[in-house]
C-alpha cells in the first residue's frame, strides 16, 4: 500500500472537480486515490520502449459528418429542463471573472 | 507519485514553455537599484494567439446549426442546441468534415504542414458556459503546424508609390489547432428583457448556449513581433486570408475573431545589463483597437512595473491581464483557482483523423488566390500603388467585384492592364466615395460590373470625360438602374463627349467674348489663365466637351503655343 495522497493534493483535485469534501473524506479519499494511482503505477514494470501511445481502442479513423444542419432541441423545451431560467436564457448564480477557454 | 499522476505537462503554449525554460526564475523582490534614467532602450516582443470562429453551417461535433454562419446569425438565444451541444447523457460527438477542411485550408494558406495523424483531447474545467464541463480541443497533435506568413508591408512604411517595392515581413506560425467554442455569459440585463433597457446590473448571470460547440481554430504565432503596428497588420492580414478562404465571416463586433497577445519587453540598461520582463497574456481582445491599445500600454507599463518590483521573466512568472476598453489600460484579472490545471487526456469519444496526400492536395486545390498574391499582381500588372492595391484586397466582396469589372471590361475589348487600372479608379474613387456616404461596400451600390465595364470602355474610346464618367456611375447606382445600358444612358443624358467642331468653336468664342480681360491675359503670355476659359467652356458644354481639346483650341485662338 503506497502512502496516502497528501491532504492538500486531495483538496486541490476536489476543488478542480468542484466537489466539497468533509475532513474525514479528505483522509479516506487520499488513501483510495493512492491505491488507484498505485495500480496504474504497475505499468512502469512493463518495457514500453517503442510502443506507440494508443489514441483510441478502435482501429478506425475519419468518422466525419457532412456539414448539413440536423435537428435541434426547441428553446422552450430546454428552458423546462433547466433548474432555473429567465427565458430565453438559463439563469445561474452570478459569475465573476473570465472563462477558461 | 503525485507528480507522475499528472500526465503531460500543463498546457502552456510553446512560446511560454520555451521562454520560461530559458531563464531561471528571479526573486520577485526589487533586488536592483535602477531608476528610469538607467534604461537605455526597451525592445518589445509579442507572440499572438488568435481564435477564429469557422463559418461552417453546423457545429464542430454535432449538426446543430452554427451561429457563426450568416444563415443562422441572430438566432434566438438557446435555440441552436441539441443533445451533443448540451452534453446530455449518452450524446456522442461526430466530427464536422467541413471544419477539418476549412482548418486545413487556413493552415496551408499560412504555410503550415498538415499532420498526417491528429487526434482530440479533453480539457477539463467547470464553467456555466461549458455544458460538458470539458472542452474538446487538440493539445498534443494539432492539425496544422510549423508555418510562416509573409505580410506585405509597404516600403517606407507609408503610402508607397507605384514604383516602391513591398517589403514582406515573415511571421512564424507554431500551430493551428481545432477546438470547440464555449457558450456566452451575460452579466448585465440584455436588451430583450422587458423590451430594451439593456445594460442594467443584475445579481445573477445568464447563459446562452448558441455559440457552444462552434468550431474554433486557434492559431499561435512565434514571438516574432516587435511593434504593435506589425501585430495589428498581421491580425488584419490573417482576417483577410480567412475571409478570402470563406473560413470565417470575420465580423469583429460579433466575436468571430479574438486575440490574445503574449507580451514582454527586453530592457537594455545603461550599464549594459539586459532585463526581461515577465510575459503577460492579455485575454479576449475582439477589436484591432483593443489589440493595439493593450500592446502599447504594456510596452510603456512593463518597464515601470519592473522598476517597481524587479520581477523578471522565468518559470512561474507568467501573468494574465484583461483589457479595459474605456480606460484604455490592462489590469490584473481575478484568476480562477488553478486555471491552468486542465488535466488534458485523449478524447475517448472521437476517433483520430488521418490526412493522406490525396485528401490534403484535394483541399489545397480549393484555395483561391490569396489577398497578398492579388495585391502583388495588381501592383505589377496594373501599375497600382501599394495603397490602391491594398484598398482593393481589403474587403473580399469588393475585391471579387473589382475583378469582375476587370473581366467585363476585357470582354468589351479593353486591354488587361488598362482594364485593371481603370476599374481600380472606378471602384476606389467613384465607388468608394458613394460607399462611404451610404455606409455600404463599393460592391453593394447597385451598379453592376458590366455597367462599370461599359463606362471604362467609353472612357477608353475617349467618348466620356472623367466628370461625366463619375456622374454616369452615380446615375447607375440609383435604384432600378441595374438593367440599364450605360452607353445608352450616357447618350440620352447628353453626356457623351462632343466632337462636333462647330459646337466647340461656338463655345470657345463665347467664352473668350464674355471674358475679355482673361483672354487678354492669356494673349499677353499668362498661359495659366487659360484654365479659367476652359472651365467656362466646360460649363457651357454641360461637361460634355473634352477639356484637353478645349484647352488646345483656346490657346490656338489666343495665339499661344500649345504645351
Amino acid at each position: 500500500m503506497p502512502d496516502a495522497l497528501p491532504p492538500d493534493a486531495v483538496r486541490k483535485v476536489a476543488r478542480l472537480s468542484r466537489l466539497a469534501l468533509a475532513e474525514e473524506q479528505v483522509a479516506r479519499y487520499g488513501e483510495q486515490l493512492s491505491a488507484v494511482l498505485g495500480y496504474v503505477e504497475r505499468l512502469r514494470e512493463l518495457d514500453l520502449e517503442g510502443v506507440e501511445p494508443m489514441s483510441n481502442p478502435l482501429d478506425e479513423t475519419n468518422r466525419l459528418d457532412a456539414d448539413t444542419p440536423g435537428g435541434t432541441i426547441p428553446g422552450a423545451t430546454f428552458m423546462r429542463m433547466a433548474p432555473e431560467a429567465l427565458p430565453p436564457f438559463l439563469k445561474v448564480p452570478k459569475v465573476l471573472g473570465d472563462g477558461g477557454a | 507519485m503525485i507528480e507522475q499522476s499528472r500526465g503531460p505537462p500543463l498546457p502552456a503554449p510553446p512560446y511560454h514553455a520555451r521562454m520560461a525554460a530559458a531563464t531561471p526564475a528571479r526573486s520577485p523582490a526589487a533586488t536592483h537599484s535602477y531608476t528610469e534614467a538607467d534604461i537605455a532602450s526597451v525592445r518589445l516582443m509579442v507572440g499572438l494567439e488568435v481564435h477564429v470562429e469557422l463559418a461552417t453551417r453546423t457545429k464542430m461535433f454535432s449538426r446543430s446549426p452554427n451561429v457563426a454562419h450568416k444563415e443562422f446569425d441572430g438566432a434566438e438565444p438557446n435555440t441552436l442546441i441539441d443533445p451533443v451541444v448540451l452534453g446530455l447523457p449518452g450524446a456522442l460527438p461526430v466530427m464536422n468534415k467541413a471544419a477539418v477542411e476549412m482548418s486545413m485550408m487556413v493552415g496551408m494558406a499560412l504555410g503550415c504542414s498538415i499532420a498526417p495523424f491528429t487526434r482530440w483531447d479533453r480539457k477539463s474545467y467547470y464553467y456555466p458556459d461549458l455544458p460538458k464541463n470539458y472542452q474538446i480541443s487538440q493539445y498534443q497533435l494539432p492539425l496544422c503546424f510549423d508555418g510562416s506568413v509573409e505580410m506585405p508591408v509597404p516600403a517606407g512604411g507609408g503610402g508607397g508609390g507605384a514604383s516602391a517595392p513591398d517589403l514582406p515581413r515573415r511571421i512564424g506560425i507554431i500551430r493551428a489547432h481545432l477546438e470547440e467554442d464555449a457558450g456566452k455569459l451575460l452579466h448585465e440585463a440584455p436588451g430583450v428583457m422587458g423590451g430594451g433597457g439593456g445594460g442594467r446590473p443584475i445579481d445573477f448571470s445568464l447563459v446562452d448556449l448558441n455559440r457552444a460547440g462552434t468550431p474554433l481554430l486557434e492559431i499561435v504565432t512565434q514571438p516574432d513581433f516587435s511593434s504593435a503596428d506589425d501585430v495589428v497588420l498581421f491580425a488584419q492580414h490573417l482576417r483577410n486570408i480567412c475571409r478570402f478562404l470563406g473560413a470565417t465571416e470575420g465580423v469583429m463586433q460579433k466575436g468571430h475573431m479574438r486575440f490574445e497577445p503574449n507580451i514582454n519587453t527586453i530592457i537594455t540598461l545603461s550599464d549594459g545589463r539586459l532585463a526581461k520582463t515577465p510575459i503577460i497574456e492579455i485575454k479576449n481582445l475582439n477589436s484591432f483597437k483593443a489589440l493595439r491599445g493593450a500592446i502599447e500600454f504594456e510596452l510603456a507599463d512593463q518597464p515601470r512595473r519592473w522598476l517597481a518590483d524587479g520581477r523578471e521573466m522565468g518559470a512561474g512568472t507568467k501573468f494574465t491581464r484583461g483589457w479595459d476598453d474605456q480606460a484604455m489600460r490592462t489590469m490584473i484579472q481575478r484568476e480562477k483557482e488553478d486555471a491552468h490545471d486542465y488535466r488534458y487526456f485523449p478524447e475517448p469519444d472521437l476517433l483520430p483523423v488521418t490526412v493522406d496526400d490525396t485528401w490534403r492536395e484535394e483541399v489545397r486545390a480549393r484555395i483561391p488566390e490569396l489577398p497578398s498574391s492579388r495585391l502583388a499582381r495588381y501592383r505589377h500588372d496594373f501599375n497600382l500603388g501599394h495603397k490602391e492595391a491594398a484598398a482593393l484586397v481589403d474587403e473580399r466582396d469588393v475585391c471579387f467585384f473589382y475583378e469582375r469589372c476587370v473581366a467585363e471590361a476585357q470582354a468589351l475589348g479593353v486591354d488587361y492592364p488598362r482594364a485593371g487600372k481603370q476599374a481600380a479608379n472606378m471602384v476606389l474613387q467613384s465607388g468608394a466615395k458613394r460607399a462611404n456616404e451610404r455606409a455600404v461596400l463599393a460592391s453593394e451600390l447597385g451598379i453592376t460590373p458590366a455597367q462599370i465595364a461599359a463606362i471604362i470602355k467609353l472612357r477608353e474610346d475617349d467618348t466620356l470625360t472623367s466628370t461625366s464618367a463619375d456622374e454616369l456611375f452615380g446615375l447607375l447606382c440609383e435604384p432600378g438602374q441595374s438593367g440599364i445600358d450605360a452607353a445608352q444612358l450616357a447618350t440620352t443624358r447628353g453626356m457623351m463627349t462632343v466632337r462636333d467642331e462647330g459646337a466647340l468653336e461656338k463655345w470657345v468664342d463665347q467664352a473668350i467674348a464674355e471674358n475679355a480681360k482673361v483672354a487678354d491675359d492669356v494673349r499677353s503670355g499668362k498661359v495659366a489663365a487659360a484654365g479659367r476659359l476652359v472651365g467656362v467652356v466646360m460649363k457651357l458644354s454641360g461637361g460634355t466637351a473634352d477639356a484637353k481639346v478645349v484647352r488646345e483650341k483656346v490657346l490656338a485662338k489666343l495665339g499661344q503655343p500649345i504645351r
Side-chain angles (χ1 to χ4, degrees):
Chain A
M1 190 70 189
D3 291 345
L5 202 62
D8 279 353
V10 176
R11 287 193 197 96
K12 182 180 173 187
V13 172
R15 197 167 58 234
L16 289 171
S17 312
R18 299 298 185 269
L19 295 174
L21 298 188
E23 266 316 295
E24 62 90 16
Q25 285 173 308
V26 172
R28 185 150 48 89
Y29 290 166
E31 280 171 22
Q32 292 178 350
L33 284 170
S34 276
V36 172
L37 295 172
Y39 181 77
V40 176
E41 182 85 344
R42 290 174 57 197
L43 281 176
R44 294 182 159 269
E45 293 164 18
L46 301 172
D47 178 11
L48 298 176
E49 191 67 33
V51 178
E52 280 287 308
M54 184 176 70
S55 297
N56 197 287
L58 304 175
D59 284 334
E60 233 180 307
T61 59
N62 295 12
R63 283 288 298 275
L64 304 162
D65 242 1
D67 190 25
T68 311
T72 53
I73 294 176
T77 308
F78 182 42
M79 292 298 110
R80 280 199 300 278
M81 289 160 63
E84 255 197 290
L86 186 68
F89 298 99
L90 294 194
K91 194 174 163 186
V92 295
K94 187 148 190 79
V95 180
L96 295 168
D98 188 27
Chain B
M1 194 181 72
I2 300 162
E3 283 309 307
Q4 290 156 11
S5 73
R6 293 183 57 182
L10 294 176
Y15 172 42
H16 317 144
R18 212 185 55 226
M19 299 308 275
T23 329
R26 284 177 184 274
S27 64
T31 50
H32 61 72
S33 54
Y34 294 107
T35 66
E36 210 168 330
D38 298 312
I39 296 180
S41 66
V42 178
R43 195 154 60 83
L44 179 71
M45 202 167 171
V46 184
L48 192 62
E49 293 171 33
V50 188
H51 286 97
V52 181
E53 281 186 357
L54 299 182
T56 49
R57 294 184 71 212
T58 70
K59 296 199 178 185
M60 185 71 225
F61 300 116
S62 79
R63 302 298 71 82
S64 162
N66 172 15
V67 73
H69 187 277
K70 60 176 185 286
E71 212 178 318
F72 308 107
D73 178 33
E76 273 288 293
N78 290 309
T79 55
L80 308 180
I81 52 173
D82 62 18
V84 174
V85 171
L86 299 182
L88 298 185
L92 287 172
V94 183
M95 183 98 49
N96 185 341
K97 187 178 184 188
V100 176
E101 294 189 336
M102 271 184 197
S103 303
M104 286 162 65
M105 279 169 84
V106 174
M108 288 189 273
L110 300 179
C112 288
S113 301
I114 303 300
F117 179 94
T118 185
R119 61 143 214 253
W120 271 254
D121 297 287
R122 261 186 207 187
K123 176 181 179 179
S124 299
Y125 65 92
Y126 285 77
Y127 218 66
D129 60 9
L130 190 73
K132 298 193 299 295
N133 297 329
Y134 59 84
Q135 177 194 33
I136 303 177
S137 179
Q138 295 195 293
Y139 178 51
Q140 283 185 327
L141 300 169
L143 182 60
C144 318
F145 60 96
D146 273 356
S148 72
V149 184
E150 285 198 348
M151 294 193 292
V153 178
S163 57
D166 293 341
L167 304 170
R169 199 157 300 167
R170 183 182 290 269
I171 302 299
I173 306 292
I174 296 172
R175 59 188 281 165
H177 72 253
L178 257 176
E179 56 187 35
E180 54 177 341
D181 210 344
K184 252 183 196 162
L185 280 170
L186 287 80
H187 305 292
E188 38 190 50
V192 292
M193 286 167 70
R200 276 180 294 109
I202 48 178
D203 62 357
F204 46 86
S205 294
L206 296 170
V207 187
D208 172 11
L209 293 177
N210 276 357
R211 198 180 66 181
T214 285
L216 204 57
L217 186 66
E218 180 173 333
I219 299 159
V220 184
T221 79
Q222 296 280 3
D224 284 347
F225 300 101
S226 55
S227 75
D229 279 350
D230 278 4
V231 177
V232 171
L233 198 65
F234 172 82
Q236 288 168 338
H237 187 57
L238 180 64
R239 172 179 179 269
N240 211 359
I241 289 174
C242 290
R243 278 174 48 79
F244 269 80
L245 294 171
T248 185
E249 286 299 314
V251 182
M252 307 298 292
Q253 297 87 330
K254 290 181 181 162
H256 290 165
M257 286 187 89
R258 280 117 60 190
F259 305 106
E260 300 189 341
N262 285 265
I263 309 163
N264 80 321
T265 59
I266 296 150
I267 302 168
T268 305
L269 296 154
S270 47
D271 62 10
R273 211 200 121 198
L274 290 182
K276 296 180 182 176
T277 53
I279 296 165
I280 305 290
E281 179 173 354
I282 316 290
K283 301 297 276 186
N284 262 327
L285 301 171
N286 58 9
S287 73
F288 298 124
K289 184 177 163 238
L291 179 60
R292 176 188 301 279
I295 295 167
E296 284 174 350
F297 179 83
E298 285 297 316
L299 172 60
D301 206 49
Q302 286 192 12
R304 283 200 287 265
R305 296 204 292 265
W306 175 79
L307 284 172
D309 65 19
R311 248 194 252 259
E312 293 186 20
M313 187 169 72
T317 63
K318 207 200 138 190
F319 301 98
T320 302
R321 291 172 78 93
W323 172 248
D324 182 334
D325 224 5
Q326 258 75 54
M328 290 291 282
R329 54 173 297 142
T330 67
M331 51 222 252
I332 293 171
Q333 263 185 339
R334 229 172 71 143
E335 288 223 43
K336 289 187 305 171
E337 282 164 345
D338 301 303
H340 292 286
D341 203 349
Y342 291 127
R343 294 152 290 142
Y344 280 93
F345 66 90
E347 167 59 61
D349 288 344
L350 284 166
L351 294 164
V353 169
T354 54
V355 182
D356 60 16
D357 294 355
T358 312
W359 187 18
R360 190 187 62 231
E361 292 314 310
E362 192 189 300
V363 173
R364 194 194 299 278
R366 280 185 247 158
I367 297 177
E369 187 184 10
L370 294 172
S372 53
S373 152
R374 287 177 204 255
L375 189 150
R377 181 161 60 83
Y378 299 165
R379 293 212 58 183
H380 178 267
D381 293 0
F382 306 145
N383 197 29
L384 300 182
H386 180 92
K387 219 173 142 185
E388 290 169 284
L392 287 169
V393 300
D394 193 39
E395 268 297 336
R396 171 192 56 183
D397 293 347
V398 173
C399 185
F400 291 173
F401 181 82
Y402 164 70
E403 296 214 349
R404 285 203 301 279
C405 296
V406 177
E408 295 274 1
Q410 274 186 280
L412 293 179
V414 181
D415 257 18
Y416 175 63
R418 289 296 302 166
K421 180 78 179 167
Q422 291 286 24
N425 289 344
M426 283 279 120
V427 171
L428 295 176
Q429 288 164 25
S430 298
K433 181 175 69 182
R434 291 176 175 86
N436 274 342
E437 284 165 11
R438 301 190 196 175
V440 295
L441 295 177
S443 52
E444 298 169 341
L445 288 165
I447 189 168
T448 64
Q451 290 173 326
I452 291 180
I455 300 177
I456 291 170
K457 174 72 175 149
L458 294 174
R459 286 285 294 144
E460 288 299 290
D461 292 347
D462 238 351
T463 49
L464 201 64
T465 64
S466 64
T467 318
S468 298
D470 183 64
E471 199 186 327
L472 184 57
F473 189 106
L475 287 173
L476 290 167
C477 291
E478 299 301 324
Q481 301 293 306
S482 60
I484 302 291
D485 182 84
Q488 220 161 46
L489 182 65
T491 309
T492 50
R493 292 283 184 131
M495 297 165 105
M496 295 291 212
T497 308
V498 174
R499 300 254 168 250
D500 178 348
E501 280 293 315
L504 277 182
E505 288 281 329
K506 223 180 88 195
W507 288 324
V508 171
D509 289 343
Q510 190 183 340
I512 290 171
E514 289 173 3
N515 298 276
K517 167 99 183 48
V518 182
D520 283 343
D521 286 348
V522 178
R523 275 195 199 94
S524 66
K526 288 190 194 159
V527 176
R532 281 188 53 195
L533 296 172
V534 173
V536 173
V537 174
M538 292 308 288
K539 212 169 164 187
L540 288 170
S541 75
T544 60
D546 183 326
K548 195 165 156 260
V549 175
V550 172
R551 186 168 186 278
E552 287 169 6
K553 254 188 196 319
V554 167
L555 291 174
K557 277 197 183 273
L558 299 175
Q560 294 301 315
I562 294 155
R563 273 173 290 181

